[in-house]
Amino acid sequence: MIELVQRHTALAVVVGSRAYGLHRPDSDHDRRGVFVAPTRAFWSLDKPPTHLDGPAEEQFSWEIERFCTLAMQGNPTVLEVLWSPLASFVNEDGQALLDIRKAFLSTRVADTYGSYARDQLAKVASRHARTGEINFKQAMHMIRLLLAGAHVLRTGEVLVDVTHLRGELLAVRNGDVPWPDVAAWAEHLQADLSVAAAGTALPEKPDRERIDAVLVGVRERNL
């Protein structure tokens, strides 16, 4: 099945710390992508996979339909693929996705970004209560998600590159900021996310018709 990624990738990017501008010399290359299974592959009882790992290290790809479904749900991990500044491959189908990337955005991002950040906060706080230790890397990404959530609600653009906040975020990552201060920052950002959600111009739902039209065009091109 891995040949689906090797032969039918439509979009390939780097995400994670390198795309965020938070990388260090030993940071991984988190590769993400979208592949397009040949349309005829859906005509048999055994359907193509919705996602695949590899073939490179730290590489994960979604079949385009699954990718669109997750993006419409406001999944931060998936949306970052469409806004990554580090694209390594884009063909006609991949460009079609990039051209409509704003169609995937809706007020749902307030819930998804907020929920992801709250989950991270709960994990950090639980570990701290249990062991007295803080996972500062997890705490940094919690802060980054809250910042990104408010940004997309206010601007209609997904914030990936946070180089302008590199110093503050790496200070959290390195444990230079006391946990009470990190928790207070997170509380402030959660309140700001609510304010951004209340005033956002994003639609209540993603533009399903526009997305569907692109997907149909992709299937027709790949018969």
Side-chain angles (χ1 to χ4, degrees):
M1 288 294 181
I2 201 64
E3 67 270 11
L4 288 171
V5 174
Q6 294 170 323
R7 297 175 55 190
H8 299 286
T9 287
L11 175 64
V13 305
V14 173
V15 294
S17 62
R18 293 186 181 276
Y20 303 148
L22 300 174
H23 58 286
R24 299 184 293 188
D26 59 345
S27 294
D28 293 332
H29 288 79
D30 296 309
R31 301 173 176 88
R32 299 293 180 267
V34 181
F35 66 92
V36 177
T39 304
R40 292 177 182 271
F42 291 91
W43 295 355
S44 64
L45 290 174
D46 295 323
K47 307 301 181 187
T50 59
H51 57 271
L52 288 166
D53 284 304
E57 291 185 8
E58 305 297 330
Q59 183 176 5
F60 185 92
S61 302
W62 296 269
E63 209 284 322
I64 189 169
E65 184 174 343
R66 178 60 175 164
F67 181 87
C68 288
T69 298
L70 293 172
M72 290 171 64
Q73 293 170 355
N75 183 303
T77 302
V78 171
L79 289 176
E80 286 178 1
V81 172
L82 295 173
W83 268 267
S84 172
L86 302 178
S88 56
F89 179 81
V90 184
N91 69 7
E92 182 179 4
D93 295 331
Q95 189 61 51
L97 277 180
L98 294 176
D99 289 344
I100 64 159
R101 63 186 185 178
K102 289 191 176 183
F104 293 101
L105 300 180
S106 71
T107 55
R108 294 175 185 175
V109 300
D111 290 329
T112 54
Y113 277 78
S115 293
Y116 272 55
R118 284 191 294 273
D119 286 347
Q120 296 283 355
L121 176 60
K123 290 176 181 177
V124 173
S126 175
R127 179 176 178 178
H128 182 239
R130 189 175 65 254
T131 68
E133 298 176 348
I134 297 293
N135 184 330
F136 283 105
K137 180 178 180 180
Q138 203 166 37
M140 178 191 72
H141 286 299
M142 169 195 65
I143 295 293
R144 183 188 59 78
L145 277 169
L146 288 168
L147 289 164
H151 183 89
V152 67
L153 287 164
R154 289 195 169 101
T155 68
E157 299 283 349
V158 174
L159 179 65
V160 178
D161 186 351
V162 290
T163 302
H164 61 293
L165 296 168
R166 177 181 171 89
E168 295 94 323
L169 290 170
L170 287 184
V172 174
R173 170 70 175 84
N174 295 334
D176 297 332
V177 182
W179 171 242
D181 292 347
V182 176
W185 189 9
E187 184 177 356
H188 170 76
L189 291 176
Q190 286 175 329
D192 187 56
L193 183 69
S194 297
V195 172
T200 187
L202 291 180
E204 184 178 348
K205 297 179 180 179
D207 191 341
R208 187 182 182 92
E209 290 186 6
R210 191 177 177 198
I211 296 165
D212 204 40
V214 166
L215 184 58
V216 169
V218 168
R219 295 301 187 214
E220 289 176 341
R221 281 194 294 273
N222 289 273
L223 274 170

